[in-house]
Amino acid sequence: MQDFSISRQFFKDVWYLTKSYWQSEEKKKAFFLLACILALTLGVVYMLVLLNQWYNSFYTALQAYEKEKIYSELWRFCYLAAIYIVLAVYSYYLQQCLIINWRRWLTEKFIDIWLKNKTYYHLQMFGHATDNPDQRISEDVSMFVEMTLSISIGFIKALCTFGSFVLILYNVSGPLVFTAFGQQWSINGYMFWASLLYSLLGTYITHYVGKRLVAINFVQQRYEADFRFSMIRMRESAESVAFYSGEEQEKQVFTERFKRLMENFWELVTKKKQLVWLNSGYSQVAIIFPFMVAMGRYLSKEISLGGLMQISSAFAHVQNSLSYFVDTYTSLAQWQSVVVRLTFFGRHMQEVSEDAEHFHLERFATANNVETEAMQVNLPNGEVLLKPMSFVLHPGANVLVKGKSGCGKSTLLRAISGIWPYVEGKINLPSNNNLMFIPQKPYLPLGSLREALLYPGNKPLEDAEIIKLMELCQIGYLADKLEVVADWSHVLSVGEQQRLAFVRAHIQQPLWLFLDEATSALDEDTEARMYELLQSRLAGSTVVSVGHRSTLNKYHQLVLFIDKDKKEVTLSPNNL
């Protein structure tokens, strides 16, 4: 991970993340909000110019004891300050409106890409270069939008402030006349040159001290996400850990990840401490620096007290605008690390999504059959898992996929479903609406039990019909919990989840039903009940099962056997 540097590539990355929103269907609203924010920002800068002029008028009147002028200037300050406050408040409010709209749109875009072509699955299974996509979508998008807008608006404000006050400072500071090397010298607008030199020196030192912040911030965000993920994973697998009494091993994982997090955090604190030393000293010296430089002309009565205060105010504004890089260095470093993480994640997702559209396996829609032509299944490293196979599965003939453990039975189903990318050849399938795949551990979404039963669709069904199917699948005792919202994957046992999956099958009524050891947690009697229900209620559906039990034989007419040693697949009648 590189140190902090504002390079051309960095701005390309920012534009890569930014352009889609500002070219989207919401661009008119976005540009309108941005125009309003810029107008208010310019208004704020203009009020600062008027307040700077007020310094001269008020302190000059104060020095001359002009009572009426003093009270007049105090009243003038009140309405100038009131206008300034209104402009600042609405500038902030509109910035937040733009941030909310931008974040919502960009989050939805990242989620769309993440879900498209099952990118989430491919990243999880094969995308080892991308860590914690949840954090990148939920946190990094928010940080990117907020920091991009605030830093950009801050830079524009600093630029406008500099342009507004540099002439004021140049004119009011006058010439500095001094003798050096036996010659008289005169520097016009010397306060401007002093502020420029002061800011450039502070900027250089700050960059030299803090350039490592990007790398540290980048790693810190990853360690934070890794630590949080380990605890989430523990929570999701609480029962398994409890059965194994694996608390000590889990604690070691937590401790190790937290140790890395804290070590990097201390490095971050140390680096920020150096910057706090620098920035605190820099800002405190900046308060007295203009007085030190301009005091000679004031004491010689070349400028009034009002002029001195105006010089001090103008110097502060010019110095602050020139020191914008110093003041926001930590934010800039964090911004760059967020841009790097989000850009890499976005491009990686896009690549994975596009690759998924160009799998070597040609997929064609057919009316009824499942037919493969020279379909070869490979491992991610390129090794052949299953040699080219050609077979035809006809409707009405249930198929049992058999073979030794590790021969590729589940991977074959993944290849047929389209989620395994390392496949070559051709396959003909009915439309997705007529296919249903049930894995060994069914997925139960967060929400009510009704939503879990209807997942992944929302097929309208009367409660009485749902309850009837639950009773047939031996989970009728949950009928009174249809509207209960819970994390059902932790509430229900694996056996209950598998029976719930069969309820789904009866609700969806697919023409082809693929079961990947979908009864492994059921006793033989319950398993028999589930298959008998399929035969009686889904007589028009063809079942393809992966399983090891011999009790499954009687429910299937064909056997698709995988020879683990030869890596070959053969289809033959089931001789029971």
Side-chain angles (χ1 to χ4, degrees), residues 203-486:
T203 299
Y204 173 77
I205 296 175
T206 300
H207 177 62
Y208 181 79
V209 172
K211 59 185 178 180
R212 278 279 299 156
L213 270 177
V214 171
I216 300 173
N217 266 313
F218 183 93
V219 174
Q220 185 66 21
Q221 290 173 30
R222 190 183 74 195
Y223 286 165
E224 293 278 4
D226 287 345
F227 179 60
R228 183 175 62 250
F229 175 75
S230 64
M231 290 188 290
I232 293 173
R233 190 169 182 273
M234 162 83 172
R235 186 189 68 193
E236 292 178 344
S237 307
E239 185 176 67
S240 298
V241 174
F243 270 125
Y244 280 110
S245 295
E247 294 82 7
E248 284 301 317
Q249 287 84 349
E250 294 300 318
K251 183 179 179 181
Q252 290 178 9
V253 173
F254 296 157
T255 302
E256 180 61 30
R257 293 194 172 191
F258 190 69
K259 179 183 177 183
R260 292 200 299 265
L261 183 156
M262 293 305 297
E263 288 174 350
N264 192 77
F265 185 72
W266 274 114
E267 187 177 354
L268 185 65
V269 169
T270 301
K271 188 58 64 176
K272 285 187 175 181
K273 183 185 76 172
Q274 296 172 359
L275 285 178
V276 170
W277 273 105
L278 178 62
N279 290 339
S280 298
Y282 181 82
S283 58
Q284 291 303 309
V285 172
I287 297 174
I288 198 173
F289 185 77
F291 291 103
M292 295 171 60
V293 177
M295 190 59 67
R297 295 191 69 227
Y298 172 72
L299 293 176
S300 64
K301 299 182 179 180
E302 294 180 44
I303 55 175
S304 64
L305 177 61
L308 179 63
M309 298 307 296
Q310 186 180 16
I311 287 174
S312 173
S313 174
F315 176 87
H317 287 300
V318 171
Q319 183 265 326
N320 284 337
S321 61
L322 289 172
S323 302
Y324 179 73
F325 182 73
V326 174
D327 297 334
T328 60
Y329 194 92
T330 301
S331 297
L332 286 168
Q334 189 177 23
W335 183 41
Q336 187 181 17
S337 68
V338 168
V339 168
V340 170
R341 284 175 59 83
L342 210 52
T343 301
F344 179 82
F345 178 56
R347 286 178 173 153
H348 192 199
M349 279 203 305
Q350 197 71 48
E351 290 171 1
V352 170
S353 180
E354 290 173 357
D355 287 345
E357 293 179 346
H358 302 95
F359 289 160
H360 297 299
L361 181 67
E362 298 181 69
R363 304 178 69 84
F364 300 95
T366 61
N368 296 308
N369 296 340
V370 173
E371 181 179 358
T372 66
E373 296 181 30
M375 187 178 81
Q376 176 176 302
V377 181
N378 302 320
L379 295 172
N381 61 7
E383 181 183 344
V384 176
L385 178 65
L386 298 175
K387 293 179 180 179
M389 66 191 87
S390 299
F391 58 79
V392 181
L393 306 182
H394 298 283
N398 294 343
V399 182
L400 180 61
V401 183
K402 301 176 72 173
K404 294 180 180 179
S405 296
C407 67
K409 299 187 294 296
S410 295
T411 304
L412 176 59
L413 258 62
R414 295 188 188 109
I416 293 173
S417 71
I419 66 174
W420 187 261
Y422 309 104
V423 189
E424 302 173 11
K426 183 186 296 186
I427 186 170
N428 301 306
L429 289 167
S431 65
N432 288 333
N433 294 334
N434 294 319
L435 303 175
M436 186 174 185
F437 292 81
I438 298 181
Q440 184 175 8
K441 192 175 188 306
Y443 172 70
L444 304 183
L446 296 175
S448 68
L449 182 59
R450 177 196 301 280
E451 291 169 335
L453 288 163
L454 297 177
Y455 188 85
N458 194 21
K459 187 176 181 179
L461 208 62
E462 296 292 334
D463 284 0
E465 184 64 22
I466 295 177
I467 293 171
K468 178 183 177 182
L469 292 174
M470 292 173 68
E471 290 173 347
L472 288 172
C473 294
Q474 301 183 5
I475 55 171
Y477 52 86
L478 297 173
D480 61 339
K481 295 181 172 57
L482 280 177
E483 304 303 329
V484 175
V485 175

